[in-house]
Amino acid sequence: MDDTSGKSKHHLVIVGGGTAGWMAAALLSRQVSPKECRITVIAENDSGIGVGEATIPSINSLLRTLGADEAEFMQVCDATWKLAIQFSDWLKPEHDYWHPFGVAGAKIDERDLFPYWLRDQKRPYQTYSLNWAAAVAGKSPHSLTMQSPIAATGAYAFHLNAKKLSMWLQQRALNSGVQQIHGHVAHASRNDAGDVATVELADGNSVAADFFIDCSGFESVLLRQTLDDQWIDWSGHLLCDRAVAVRTPGKAIIPSHTRSLGLTAGWSWDIPLQSQRGLGYVYSGEFISDDDAWKELRAAHRLADDAELEPQFLQMRVGRQTQFWHHNVLAIGLSAGFIEPLESTGLHLAQVGLERFVELFAISGETQPLQQMYNREMAEVYDQARDFVQLHYHLSQREEAFWKASRELPLSVELQHRLRLYSENATVGLLRPEAFPESSYYFLLTGNGRLPKRPPAQSLAVEADRLQFVMQAIQDQNRTALRNLPLHEEMLRHIQAASLARAS
Ligand SMILES: Cc1cc2nc3c(=O)[nH]c(=O)nc-3n(C[C@H](O)[C@H](O)[C@H](O)COP(=O)(O)OP(=O)(O)OC[C@H]3O[C@@H](n4cnc5c(N)ncnc54)[C@H](O)[C@@H]3O)c2cc1C
């Protein structure tokens, strides 16, 4: 058959043009040979939900795969750097704890600093983190030459305008040969094997393909609606099911961290972009009305009553599909599952789902064993991320009805096991890399005043003098590194100037 027509090639169709859809198109068009496979995106005239504004460090590997220039990416997406999250009023009012990216200080004998810190708790655990120190000082992760200890470990992420990110990904996908069809999938037909054969669009056209990626958001038009895959509801783990989001003018000083503020029936995000500030309240509709949530959000951030703001109210379905890859359909993004955005896992989960799929995807042959492995692994990835988010609520001591109810929700067997390990032996038992490394658990647990019963035996083997020396050396090294990091605004101005120079 004529190869230039593309008809003999494997045809992969992505349904949905939100961030997940365009991320799938951009990644796959780079990683699957165009000689073997042509890719089409069916997208409506919107760029999706568009409120995912904070990311975690795994996004750096996406940028590398896409061959992106970080400064250019940041300019296009109105992005700022993110080094940490500050949790205010979560444990109780007037209390802060931090979740910085990366590790605290250095590893000792290949182990996290944590068990050693337990023997020498003069300063809080997070104060050994360079990310924490840089976030508190409003610094950038990079020096002016784009090099620094934080840059070297990649322990930083971005705040960004999600709609602009979606358009940036779309542009890259189209540049790599992805075709776009404007349309809405009204119906899907299955063949005798039960696979999806064609999708029929609202305008009467139909599109046939060998494989489909369902990126239709909460609709999950192929995986859930057509293949009838079962949804696993997590409202028994996480109570928040509504959000109100708004954009306001940017702050004079742009922080390099996200602030998450505990409120009466949930929490509020405060995300700094270069030109704007994203604010939102994630709450449980059972404990507060939309009107009261909007009022509380305005009051919490002192938004003037006469400010003309356009709040966007969103319904959230928290849970995941039973299978992510079923028949010839893979679900990515909100169509696969959703965990409320407390730890910014949305884009990360889409990215991990795609990266693992690319490793396993074969144009032909028996896919059943691959699907089984993929589904098992992705279920674990989602469940671990949900557990980490639930832990924040579990540790809170706030007294409002929402917080009490959240605290009383059952924890998964795995999380209970992890907390027992922590209590008895100062470890959380991570056997393979997860979205959040063990240090993330230690920041969260110590920040909430939760400590193990004792340091593990191995850490007792280190002489007290040597330990003190190392702990001091980490603080000294961090101070030196911090001096060499420019202020966040200074570095943003630097990349803005570089971008203007490139454009002229
Ligand atoms: C309140 C809130 C805050 C969030 N904050 C963050 C955050 O800080 N960080 C983060 O990483 N993630 C965050 N997320 C998650 C993030 O928004 C999503 O992971 C991300 O936007 C990917 O969404 P998506 O593309 O899967 O779905 P969507 O953005 O909903 O896109 C789905 C697309 O499919 C299209 N579509 C639907 N049905 C059809 C059909 N039948 N035919 C054709 N097209 C169709 C829609 O028009 C839309 O364009 C947040 C989510 C919410 C709700």
Side-chain angles (χ1 to χ4, degrees), residues 55-81:
T55 57
I56 62 173
S58 53
I59 194 169
N60 288 303
S61 79
L62 176 76
L63 299 189
R64 269 195 305 278
T65 308
L66 297 181
D69 173 83
E70 184 171 323
E72 185 256 350
F73 161 80
M74 289 184 69
Q75 276 312 101
V76 174
C77 297
D78 199 16
T80 64
W81 280 289

Side-chain angles (χ1 to χ4, degrees), residues 46 434 460:
D46 66 359
E434 292 181 12
L460 299 174

Side-chain angles (χ1 to χ4, degrees), residues 132-347:
W132 170 82
V136 169
K139 297 271 182 141
S140 142
H142 293 292
S143 69
L144 292 172
T145 57
M146 297 295 270
Q147 284 164 347
S148 77
I150 297 178
T153 57
Y156 65 93
F158 307 94
H159 306 113
L160 43 80
N161 178 318
K163 284 193 193 287
K164 291 186 175 175
L165 170 67
S166 191
M167 288 191 285
W168 181 81
L169 290 165
Q170 176 184 21
Q171 204 48 56
R172 296 190 98 78
L174 297 178
N175 290 347
S176 307
V178 170
Q179 300 292 312
Q180 176 174 0
I181 296 175
H182 291 279
H184 175 86
V185 171
H187 177 73
S189 310
R190 300 175 70 176
N191 61 21
D192 292 344
D195 288 352
V196 174
T198 52
V199 288
E200 283 99 51
L201 307 187
D203 63 9
N205 286 321
S206 68
V207 182
D210 303 287
F211 198 91
F212 291 86
I213 303 193
D214 185 347
C215 296
S216 61
F218 287 128
E219 294 283 310
S220 196
V221 68
L222 298 182
L223 185 68
R224 197 171 61 247
Q225 290 186 30
T226 306
L227 297 185
D228 223 9
D229 185 66
Q230 291 304 298
W231 173 256
I232 301 175
D233 175 58
W234 282 344
S235 55
H237 288 279
L238 296 166
L239 295 181
C240 291
D241 57 0
R242 307 262 319 143
V244 51
V246 72
R247 289 270 167 76
T248 68
K251 276 182 166 177
I253 294 176
I254 303 177
S256 48
H257 67 273
T258 308
R259 182 154 179 257
S260 168
L261 174 67
L263 297 176
T264 53
W267 60 277
S268 154
W269 74 74
D270 184 351
I271 294 181
L273 304 182
Q274 286 186 36
S275 69
Q276 287 180 315
R277 182 180 174 203
L279 296 173
Y281 187 176
V282 173
Y283 55 94
S284 161
E286 212 185 303
F287 290 87
I288 194 168
S289 67
D290 285 353
D291 277 354
D292 287 345
W294 175 224
K295 266 190 220 138
E296 193 181 353
L297 179 69
R298 291 175 75 124
H301 296 285
R302 298 194 181 89
L303 302 179
D305 282 343
D306 57 355
E308 282 183 21
L309 301 169
E310 289 177 19
Q312 182 188 2
F313 288 89
L314 297 133
Q315 182 70 35
M316 306 186 305
R317 237 165 84 95
V318 182
R320 68 163 170 84
Q321 292 297 138
T322 309
Q323 305 179 77
F324 302 89
W325 180 356
H326 189 34
H327 284 281
N328 61 338
V329 173
L330 174 78
I332 293 291
L334 300 177
S335 63
F338 177 65
I339 298 165
E340 60 133 290
L342 183 62
E343 285 282 355
S344 319
T345 40
L347 299 176

